[in-house]
Amino acid sequence: MERGLTEMNFPEFNSLLINGMIEKWIIFLIVLVVAVACDMWYIHERNCTKKENEEMRLSVNFLMLITAVVFVCVAVATIPMARDVINEDYIEVHGEYSLSPDWNKSSVNRWVHITKDDGSKIDIKFPGYSHGESKLFPSGEFTGTVWYAKNSKVIVAFIPDEPADGN
């Protein structure tokens, strides 16, 4: 069951998403700098045979293609996040929270599985990779309240329920 917005901390949620977007764009910028540096080196390299020149040009073209693909992937990931920040589109749900501790570090996204109180399921992902998500979102299975960004399906908060026995 989705509940009201009264308990949401929009500035904190926005900050988490913005940091995730920045992180993704930094990855693109690193790829872009490498591609441009290779292109500049190719342009200024004069002591090559025709075959070496052709091989370098193919490598530079491949790097530019990779840069374009990374740009598209980053844009697809961050545009919904930006929309969530601009519109402050956050949803609150209560249910079972599940995050595997055996997450594969080479995965692009780390998924949190939520089974809402009404039995419906939703998978949401982490906003980024390195700005403290592991501390904010514990591994394991819990019952609690989850807030996530509507368009990007990114988790922004988790509050576990208090134990019924007071411990």
Side-chain angles (χ1 to χ4, degrees), residues 8-153:
M8 292 192 185
N9 186 345
F10 288 140
E12 190 175 302
F13 297 172
N14 290 342
S15 175
L16 195 59
L17 287 180
I18 289 168
N19 287 338
M21 288 186 292
I22 289 169
E23 190 174 80
K24 289 169 179 41
W25 283 106
I26 286 173
I27 293 168
F28 166 73
L29 288 175
I30 290 169
V31 171
L32 179 64
V33 166
V34 168
V36 169
C38 289
D39 193 44
M40 297 303 291
W41 180 76
Y42 167 75
I43 290 170
H44 292 96
E45 184 60 42
R46 303 276 184 224
N47 301 326
C48 294
T49 66
K50 186 174 182 173
K51 182 180 179 192
E52 291 171 333
N53 193 10
E54 211 173 282
E55 289 172 353
M56 281 194 309
R57 184 73 244 158
L58 284 173
S59 296
V60 169
N61 286 344
F62 180 72
L63 275 174
M64 291 299 178
L65 176 66
I66 294 296
T67 302
V69 168
V70 170
F71 175 82
V72 169
C73 291
V74 169
V76 165
T78 59
I79 288 172
M81 293 170 80
R83 196 175 304 131
D84 289 326
V85 170
I86 292 166
N87 298 324
E88 293 186 333
D89 280 340
Y90 301 106
I91 295 173
E92 176 184 359
V93 297
H94 186 270
E96 299 289 325
Y97 164 103
S98 175
L99 176 61
S100 173
D102 300 325
W103 174 61
N104 182 353
K105 298 290 184 198
S106 65
S107 296
V108 175
N109 291 310
R110 187 166 186 193
W111 294 96
V112 179
H113 309 287
I114 307 298
T115 303
K116 299 192 300 186
D117 289 340
D118 67 5
S120 62
K121 297 181 185 220
I122 186 167
D123 293 330
I124 52 180
K125 57 192 170 216
F126 273 31
Y129 310 107
S130 65
H131 52 277
E133 287 89 350
S134 295
K135 294 174 190 161
L136 295 172
F137 310 115
S139 295
E141 294 185 8
F142 306 93
T143 299
T145 302
V146 175
W147 286 271
Y148 68 94
K150 178 182 177 182
N151 298 297
S152 57
K153 301 286 192 262

